[in-house]
């Protein structure tokens, strides 16, 4: 057997215990792709996993938001999932999950709910093909894992975020429906919230953000939000509901989007949305955390609630196209504020957790 190069990967042993290991990089096999990781972002859900709060993932190789360079293509792989020819050296963005098209959810066409989505994610590092996550020098893209070529000229630092937050937001917003007549209230101006502001804005909607951190309020404004409601100034649900009503002709927003990620925000949402409005729950992702909720008010107001987890995998192509069209219209380059060497992943996680940095990105040494 020919000698294979080795690469490094980062894995979680137990909560907050990360290790770096060196493994031989795998062959791509007939239908897989071996890539070099160019940049991998530290996403909120990595922090969840690292802390031991994720319902399904407790250990294994970390990382899911990334931009990769094709280093070896399986013999049967000649295009991406949009039919564009792909070759060694191309930059690609892979979805972080697989779409099997055979399970019960896929049979119903609910590809975002594929029951095998995480079949290859966060596996133990000793298990081939070892590079199960994007926190590494390499990453293995499996058969049934959608991936798309990155549009020529799109800044890699901007493109690296496409496969998580922006794809999620585009999918969720299509599910709930946002048009040019709508006023949209976004609860929270983290990565999901800023993307939600940008997408709602491009759909022609008027946008309001509810947020209580200066730096986040500033960034919401930089992303073109029309109105801000400062959580510290309007410090009760009633006060915030009244403020949103004032901004919307006295009726409340047409659409609410929860991306604050705290249970109380969901309970508050129906107070911010008008009678007959729509509400999208996307930020709360850890089951078992509770909020007091007023179901009678929900009925009286007849608000339609949708939730969205993951996305139909072709939304990743839409996300890359959105960035290609609008990277200059919004300060996407400011979303990633700190770069770390892959080997400094511990520091990257700690400083992300303490919110000392907004979005950290890991850059393995081999990358340009
Ligand atoms: Zn993510
Ligand atoms: Zn499936």
């Amino acid at each position: 057997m020919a000698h294979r190069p080795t690469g490094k990967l980062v894995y979680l042993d137990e909560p907050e215990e990360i290790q770096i290991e060196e493994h031989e990089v795998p062959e791509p096999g007939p239908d897989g792709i071996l890539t070099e990781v160019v940049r991998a972002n530290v996403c909120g859900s990595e922090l969840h996993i690292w802390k031991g709060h994720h319902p399904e993932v407790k250990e294994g190789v970390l990382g899911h938001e990334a931009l990769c360079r094709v280093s070896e293509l399986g013999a049967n792989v000649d295009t991406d999932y949009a039919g564009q020819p792909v070759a060694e050296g191309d930059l690609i963005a892979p979805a972080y999950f697989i779409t099997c098209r055979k399970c019960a959810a896929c049979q119903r066409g609910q590809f975002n709910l594929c029951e095998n989505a995480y079949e290859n994610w966060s596996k133990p590092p000793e298990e081939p093909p070892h590079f199960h996550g994007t926190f590494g020098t390499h990453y293995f893209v499996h058969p049934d894992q959608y991936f798309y070529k990155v549009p020529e000229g799109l800044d890699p630092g901007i493109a690296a975020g496409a496969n998580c937050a922006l794809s999620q937001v585009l999918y969720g917003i299509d599910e709930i429906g946002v048009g040019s007549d709508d006023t949209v209230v976004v609860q929270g101006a983290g990565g999901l919230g800023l993307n939600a502001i940008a997408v709602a804005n491009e759909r022609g909607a008027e946008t309001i953000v509810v947020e209580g951190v200066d730096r986040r309020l500033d960034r919401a404004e930089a992303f073109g939000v029309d109105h801000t409601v400062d959580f510290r100034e309007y410090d009760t649900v009633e006060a915030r509901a009244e403020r949103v009503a004032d901004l919307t002709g006295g009726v409340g927003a047409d659409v609410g989007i929860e991306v604050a990620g705290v249970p109380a925000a969901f309970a508050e949402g129906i107070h911010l949305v008008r009678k007959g409005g729509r509400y999208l729950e996307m930020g709360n992702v850890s089951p078992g955390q509770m909020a007091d909720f007023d179901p009678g008010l929900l009925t009286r107001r007849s608000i339609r609630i949708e939730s969205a987890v993951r996305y139909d995998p072709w939304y990743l192509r839409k996300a890359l196209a959105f960035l290609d069209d609008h990277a200059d219209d919004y300060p996407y380059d400011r979303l990633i504020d700190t770069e770390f060497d892959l080997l400094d992943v511990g520091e990257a996680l700690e400083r992300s957790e303490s919110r000392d940095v907004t979005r950290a990105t890991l850059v393995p040494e081999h990358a340009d």
Side-chain angles (χ1 to χ4, degrees):
M1 220 173 105
H3 179 72
R4 299 287 298 168
T6 60
K8 293 191 175 73
L9 56 79
V10 177
Y11 72 97
L12 188 72
D13 224 358
E14 51 187 282
E16 294 184 54
E17 288 293 318
I18 51 166
Q19 310 285 347
I20 295 174
E21 258 184 22
E22 188 140 351
H23 282 274
E24 205 165 80
V25 299
E27 312 241 8
D31 302 302
I33 306 172
L34 180 70
T35 71
E36 286 185 348
V37 176
V38 177
R39 309 172 69 94
N41 294 339
V42 177
C43 170
S45 41
E46 244 82 58
L47 298 175
H48 257 66
I49 294 168
W50 176 62
K51 284 269 176 194
H53 296 163
H54 196 281
E56 292 175 59
V57 181
K58 296 291 181 195
E59 55 181 16
V61 182
L62 291 173
H64 67 281
E65 230 183 87
L67 184 75
C68 305
R69 188 184 302 282
V70 174
S71 52
E72 291 175 60
L73 272 178
N76 299 334
V77 185
D78 43 28
T79 67
D80 70 5
Y81 277 73
Q84 306 176 87
V86 64
E88 284 167 14
D90 283 346
L91 288 176
I92 61 166
Y96 60 91
F97 48 84
I98 69 155
T99 306
C100 81
R101 299 184 295 274
K102 291 167 189 157
C103 71
C106 285
Q107 289 296 297
R108 292 190 300 265
Q110 293 174 314
F111 296 109
N112 65 313
L113 301 178
C114 175
E115 286 156 25
N116 298 308
Y118 294 153
E119 196 176 72
N120 303 313
W121 187 37
S122 293
K123 293 278 169 158
E126 59 279 4
E127 196 178 300
H130 313 301
F131 294 85
H132 310 293
T134 57
F135 287 5
T137 51
H138 299 76
Y139 180 58
F140 192 90
V141 180
H142 289 263
D144 294 333
Q145 185 173 359
Y146 282 54
F147 70 91
Y148 295 99
K149 240 161 88 161
V150 173
E152 204 114 339
L154 180 58
D155 181 328
I158 293 173
N163 79 337
C164 187
L166 180 56
S167 297
Q168 184 66 65
V169 162
L170 283 167
Y171 176 75
I173 281 183
D174 276 357
E175 289 293 291
I176 201 68
V178 169
S180 58
D181 293 338
D182 288 324
T183 305
V184 178
V185 60
V186 177
Q187 297 168 275
L192 288 169
L194 296 171
N195 278 300
I197 290 166
V199 174
N201 199 41
E202 288 304 320
R203 301 274 160 101
E206 189 171 341
T207 53
I208 302 168
V209 72
V210 180
E211 176 56 67
V213 176
D214 284 329
R215 189 178 52 180
R216 289 173 171 235
L217 282 162
D218 290 346
R219 284 198 309 166
E221 281 182 347
F223 268 76
V225 76
D226 296 306
H227 311 280
T228 58
V229 177
D230 189 332
F231 215 83
R232 294 161 298 185
E233 186 183 347
Y234 299 92
D235 60 355
T236 63
V237 174
E238 291 70 30
R240 292 187 285 276
E242 210 178 292
R243 179 67 186 141
V244 171
D246 284 347
L247 293 168
T248 52
V251 293
D254 299 294
V255 179
I257 300 179
E258 192 287 299
V259 278
V262 293
F266 171 70
E268 177 168 330
I270 61 166
H271 295 262
L272 308 180
V273 172
R274 68 164 166 82
K275 285 180 183 166
R278 287 108 67 203
Y279 190 70
L280 174 64
E281 168 56 50
M282 209 155 53
N284 282 287
V285 291
S286 295
Q289 299 184 17
M290 303 307 191
D292 282 326
F293 185 77
D294 185 346
L297 183 70
L298 173 69
T299 309
R300 286 277 158 201
R301 297 181 83 129
S302 290
I303 292 164
R304 175 162 70 83
I305 299 182
E306 298 260 359
S307 54
V309 68
R310 297 195 295 270
Y311 49 87
D312 284 339
W314 47 88
Y315 270 84
L316 175 53
R317 188 182 63 78
K318 294 177 190 247
L320 290 167
F322 185 92
L323 289 174
D324 199 27
D325 289 344
H326 300 298
D328 296 333
D329 304 332
Y330 301 93
Y332 271 104
D333 52 337
R334 281 175 53 193
L335 282 187
I336 303 287
D337 56 354
T338 319
E339 285 183 11
F340 294 87
D341 186 86
L342 176 67
L343 302 180
D344 298 325
V345 57
E347 192 193 343
L349 286 162
E350 268 156 37
R351 288 184 57 194
S352 302
E353 174 67 20
S354 69
R355 303 201 170 199
D356 176 27
V357 302
T358 304
R359 196 67 141 196
T361 193
L362 301 174
V363 183
E365 232 174 38
H366 61 67
D368 317 326

